[in-house]
Amino acid sequence: VFYMKGDEYAGFWIRVGANLIDLIIFVVIYGVLSLLSMYLFSDLYLQNVNYQNSYSSFDFFDLFFQYLLPFIVTIWFWIKFQATPGKMATQLRLVDEKTGLSISTGQAVGRYFATILSMVIFGLGYLWIVFDRRNQSWHDKLAGTVVIRNRQTERVIFNVSKDNDEEEEKS
């Protein structure tokens, strides 16, 4: 067992904030890509509106942009950076609960799908963070992960001495 100075288990509200940042980023990217695809494929879009019951290429775009792309990107961020952009912005990291190191691909995939379980039952899996001693959600417990936050602060050091300040005031 090792302990990193300044690390602590990330609490509920900071994780909510990280998820909101990720959601905003996703909505903006999804909106831009949707508008771009409607512009580039306007003929197909109009055809789909006229024949709503038929299969169209937009079914593929919806499937890709709403499900497959978020899955791939999230897994990649978790493995490569130990965090999504929202977690990075809030200085959170997703690590293996036993080693404190990066999670495996299996853990990442399992955690991603386990978030559905955490959400489906009235969000209780997320709310569990409040009651758990290590602030683990259900999907963290199922995947063997923890979210940690480094609270170590950086010291502020100024290179200006008092003598330099007095000389600048005189001139």
Side-chain angles (χ1 to χ4, degrees):
V1 175
F2 68 93
Y3 174 74
M4 299 280 294
K5 185 178 180 186
D7 282 348
E8 65 184 22
Y9 296 116
F12 178 78
W13 288 112
I14 191 71
R15 291 176 68 173
V16 168
N19 283 330
L20 285 174
I21 292 169
D22 288 335
L23 179 64
I24 290 167
I25 291 169
F26 173 75
V27 167
V28 168
I29 291 172
Y30 180 76
V32 168
L33 290 175
S34 294
L35 290 173
L36 185 63
S37 68
M38 283 194 300
Y39 175 74
L40 293 174
F41 304 107
S42 59
D43 292 339
L44 288 173
Y45 178 73
L46 290 173
Q47 185 180 16
N48 187 44
V49 169
N50 292 331
Y51 302 103
Q52 290 179 348
N53 294 332
S54 65
Y55 175 80
S56 74
S57 57
F58 282 98
D59 293 335
F60 170 75
F61 286 117
D62 284 342
L63 177 69
F64 182 75
F65 288 124
Q66 289 183 20
Y67 299 103
L68 192 57
L69 189 61
F71 169 77
I72 292 168
V73 170
T74 301
I75 299 300
W76 183 76
F77 268 103
W78 284 348
I79 293 169
K80 179 82 173 162
F81 301 106
Q82 295 182 317
T84 56
K87 282 184 176 56
M88 287 183 222
T90 54
Q91 298 180 336
L92 303 181
R93 288 184 300 132
L94 176 65
V95 297
D96 180 86
E97 72 178 339
K98 292 178 183 164
T99 65
L101 302 174
S102 294
I103 64 173
S104 68
T105 302
Q107 282 177 299
V109 171
R111 186 177 192 272
Y112 189 89
F113 288 112
T115 58
I116 297 168
L117 176 66
S118 288
M119 210 176 338
V120 166
I121 306 171
F122 308 109
L124 289 177
Y126 283 98
L127 191 59
W128 194 258
I129 295 168
V130 175
F131 304 106
D132 189 80
R133 70 177 177 83
R134 295 194 304 172
N135 296 344
Q136 285 180 294
S137 60
W138 288 352
H139 49 278
D140 286 320
K141 288 190 173 296
L142 289 170
T145 60
V146 290
V147 178
I148 58 175
R149 180 180 190 190
N150 190 312
R151 298 283 293 222
Q152 188 172 349
T153 58
E154 182 179 338
R155 288 185 20 197
V156 177
I157 301 172
F158 296 100
N159 291 329
V160 180
S161 69
K162 187 172 181 168
D163 295 335
N164 288 348
D165 286 343
E166 290 173 359
E167 288 177 18
E168 286 179 13
E169 286 179 12
K170 290 179 185 177
S171 42

